[in-house]
Amino acid sequence: MRIEEMSIPGAFLITPDQLSDERGAFYEALRCDMLERAVGVPFQPQQINYSVSKRHTLRGIHSVSIPPGQAKFVTCVRGALRDIVVDLRIGSPAFGRHQVTELDAVSGRSVYVPEGVGHGFLALTDDACICYVVSSTYLPGTQIDINPLDPDLDLPWDCPQEPLISEKDAKASSLAEALASGTLPDLHDCRTSDAARTALVRAPSERQ
């Protein structure tokens, strides 16, 4: 597989190498050892989530506060979607910037979303299914929601009609409002969280 850093620091695009024949195809979707070498911090899956969406459904922009923090490995397992990551880390040189990736079940491409970076997507097909492999379990009250239609972010959803969006997302804070309220993570806190996870993973082997 090819693992390439995106324009958002710490976010990566993963493109699998597929073995195809007349029966179909096989590929490795996630290799934690390869991902960790590229990312530089451990990725230990704690929960797997799926969401199924109608065409033109818009979900996001979502992140998780630190602590507990949450990194995501996002894959489209049916249909196609327009995936967008947004840097929400105060102090990041890419704060407020975004990157768009087209994900679909045929290519098997995935996106690694680090702690402190927001994520959202637009379903491009009916019955689109997205899989999230995440590094922490769900903890009520820790989610950060940013309005995906925030005019200051001006995210290129390019939806040909009014998107289907939840009431929660439609009423979510703008980036400026979230910044003023003090709910966004600091880049230093994200790095401290990464360092703590690295130390926790290495500790058992160091004691042997």
Side-chain angles (χ1 to χ4, degrees):
M1 62 179 60
R2 299 185 302 280
I3 304 178
E4 308 163 280
E5 190 165 22
M6 303 168 75
S7 63
I8 306 302
F12 287 79
L13 174 65
I14 298 90
T15 306
D17 296 321
Q18 299 196 21
L19 301 175
S20 302
D21 58 25
E22 64 275 8
R23 300 168 299 168
F26 170 86
Y27 60 90
E28 295 177 338
L30 171 61
R31 280 278 303 268
C32 286
D33 57 339
M34 295 178 66
L35 181 66
E36 289 173 358
R37 283 197 296 270
V39 172
V41 295
F43 181 69
Q44 294 186 305
Q46 297 296 318
Q47 185 170 322
I48 298 176
N49 305 321
Y50 293 90
S51 72
V52 180
S53 301
K54 296 179 179 179
R55 188 190 303 262
H56 306 316
T57 293
L58 177 56
R59 299 182 188 268
I61 297 294
H62 301 151
S63 187
V64 172
S65 63
I66 296 176
Q70 186 177 86
K72 303 175 182 178
F73 189 90
V74 181
T75 307
C76 180
V77 295
R78 186 172 61 241
L81 55 92
R82 180 167 296 120
D83 189 270
I84 298 184
V85 293
V86 181
D87 198 335
L88 304 178
R89 300 168 295 187
I90 299 170
S92 169
F95 178 76
R97 282 169 35 194
H98 67 269
Q99 181 159 343
V100 182
T101 308
E102 302 289 328
L103 300 182
D104 61 88
V106 176
S107 70
R109 285 190 300 267
S110 300
V111 171
Y112 172 80
V113 186
E115 293 185 356
V117 171
H119 173 265
F121 71 89
L122 175 73
L124 302 179
T125 60
D126 285 318
D127 204 31
C129 183
I130 187 170
C131 173
Y132 303 88
V133 181
V134 297
S135 65
S136 63
T137 56
Y138 172 68
L139 184 62
T142 63
Q143 190 168 42
I144 297 172
D145 298 323
I146 302 296
N147 192 313
L149 302 178
D150 179 358
D152 290 334
L153 285 177
D154 193 25
L155 300 177
W157 298 111
D158 297 331
C159 189
Q161 65 174 53
E162 189 74 18
L164 300 172
I165 186 171
S166 71
E167 182 178 1
K168 178 174 72 74
D169 286 345
K171 292 183 176 180
S173 302
S174 67
L175 182 64
E177 291 169 338
L179 180 62
S181 69
T183 58
L184 297 181
D186 188 272
L187 180 61
H188 176 266
D189 293 336
C190 295
R191 289 174 172 170
T192 300
S193 178
D194 285 341
R197 286 193 291 123
T198 300
L200 185 64
V201 170
R202 290 178 177 173
S205 60
E206 291 173 353
R207 291 197 295 265
Q208 293 178 357

